[in-house]
């Protein structure tokens, strides 16, 4: 897992969107903790399991994610996380919001992307 | 799953992790511990060592989790606030020096209605001082019996010993309650007990590929 903890700006940006990134990954397929932490860690979106598990707990408390236990491909039983219907709706809402938001920020900050 | 813990580096890592996670709300700590245990189970020693290296220092994991939990939670419920913890501890500690047992009663009520301490800790704080007093009284009675002129002396000496032991034990318990409580919920206003800790619904067990 790549730990790319860029302090300051990166951290602030991540805080706003990290939970939606979790929802986005789970929208593709249910995953177990380590798998999710690896994927998001490789993208530099979470530092590791220390950040991920509290996020998952919040998402479960909010009814966006649920978990179940199932045998994994390698054999031992694992706890898998998946989106609930509410979670699927929420990530869809976020996708609709995100693109215009990125455009608006790009215009505001100027530079080569504007 | 015994094979996980019997694997030595894994057992050690999990033990270190448990120690580091003690500062977190119990539910968060349990989630992390279970996730790590699950990840390390079924691996041979070399793979386990590699995975442990990838996981990294338990203190760092706990610090990340703490930062994550604190950054989002609502202001701490009153019964887990620092002043509440301190008042509870003080109520126990001074109970031997304040007449009529009022302080101890206040301490016990505050202790039991607060989610700061675990059930086990609450029972310990409630029963240990009394138990200590009884033990002290019995020991002193045993020492005094062969030498005392009459049983009245034995009883009064035993009662005095018991009372002293009770006061001392309550001082210790009061201090411990404050130390454990503050460590658990932190000193800063934003803590995690309550807000992030809702229990998860029971998880159904399913076979691969089959969902309800």
């Amino acid at each position: 897992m790549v730990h790319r903890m860029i302090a300051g700006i990166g951290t602030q940006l991540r805080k706003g969107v990290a939970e939606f990134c979790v929802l986005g990954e789970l929208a593709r397929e249910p995953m177990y903790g380590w798998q999710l932490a690896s994927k998001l860690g490789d993208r530099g979106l979470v530092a590791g399991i220390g950040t991920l598990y509290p996020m998952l707990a919040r998402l479960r408390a909010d009814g966006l994610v649920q978990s179940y236990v199932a045998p994994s491909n390698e054999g031992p039983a694992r706890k898998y996380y998946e989106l609930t219907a509410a979670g699927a709706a929420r990530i869809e809402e976020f996708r609709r919001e995100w693109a215009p938001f990125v455009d608006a920020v790009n215009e505001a900050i100027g530079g080569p992307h504007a | 799953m015994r094979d996980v813990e019997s694997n030595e580096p894994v057992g050690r890592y999990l033990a270190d992790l448990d120690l580091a996670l003690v500062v977190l709300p119990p539910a968060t700590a349990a989630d992390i511990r279970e996730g790590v245990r699950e990840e390390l189970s079924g691996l041979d020693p070399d793979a386990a060592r590699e995975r442990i290296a990838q996981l990294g220092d338990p203190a760092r994991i706990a610090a990340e989790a703490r930062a994550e939990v604190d950054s989002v939670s609502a202001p701490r419920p009153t019964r887990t606030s620092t002043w509440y913890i301190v008042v509870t501890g003080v109520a126990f500690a001074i109970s031997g020096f304040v007449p009529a047992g009022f302080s101890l009663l206040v301490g016990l009520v505050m202790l039991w209605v607060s989610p700061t301490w675990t059930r086990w800790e609450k029972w310990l704080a409630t029963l240990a001082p009394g138990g200590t007093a009884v033990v002290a009284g019995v020991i002193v009675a045993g020492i005094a019996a062969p030498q005392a002129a009459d049983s009245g002396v034995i009883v009064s000496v035993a009662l005095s010993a018991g009372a002293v032991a009770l006061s001392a034990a309550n001082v210790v318990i009061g201090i411990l309650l404050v130390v454990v409580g503050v460590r658990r919920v932190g000193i800063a206003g934003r803590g995690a007990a309550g807000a992030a800790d809702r229990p998860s619904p029971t998880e159904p067990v399913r076979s691969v590929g089959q969902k309800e």
Side-chain angles (χ1 to χ4, degrees), chain A residues 1 3 30 32 34 47-51 53-55 57-58 60-62 67-71 76-79 82, chain B residues 28 31-32 35-36 38-39 41 51 54-55 60-61 64-65 68-69 72 196 198 200 203-208 211:
Chain A
M1 194 184 312
H3 290 282
Y32 56 90
W34 177 263
I49 56 166
T51 328
Y53 277 104
M55 239 183 256
R58 274 200 301 278
R60 277 155 81 196
D62 291 342
S67 59
Y68 61 91
V69 177
R78 292 181 178 282
K79 184 187 269 191
E82 64 175 357
Chain B
T28 310
D31 277 348
I32 294 175
V36 171
E38 173 189 285
E39 187 52 34
S41 74
R51 191 51 57 85
Q54 282 179 312
L55 281 162
R60 186 185 51 76
I61 295 175
E64 280 168 12
E68 182 60 36
V69 165
V72 190
R198 277 161 273 188
S200 53
E203 287 127 18
V205 180
R206 315 177 195 185
S207 52
V208 175
K211 294 184 205 170

Side-chain angles (χ1 to χ4, degrees), chain A residues 35-84:
Chain A
Q35 192 183 3
L36 197 47
S38 294
K39 283 235 165 82
L40 292 167
D42 287 345
R43 300 195 210 281
L45 292 169
V46 300
I49 56 166
T51 328
L52 179 66
Y53 277 104
M55 239 183 256
L56 284 170
R58 274 200 301 278
L59 291 169
R60 277 155 81 196
D62 291 342
L64 301 174
V65 161
Q66 63 198 6
S67 59
Y68 61 91
V69 177
S72 73
N73 298 329
E74 299 89 48
R78 292 181 178 282
K79 184 187 269 191
Y80 282 82
Y81 296 88
E82 64 175 357
L83 294 187
T84 61

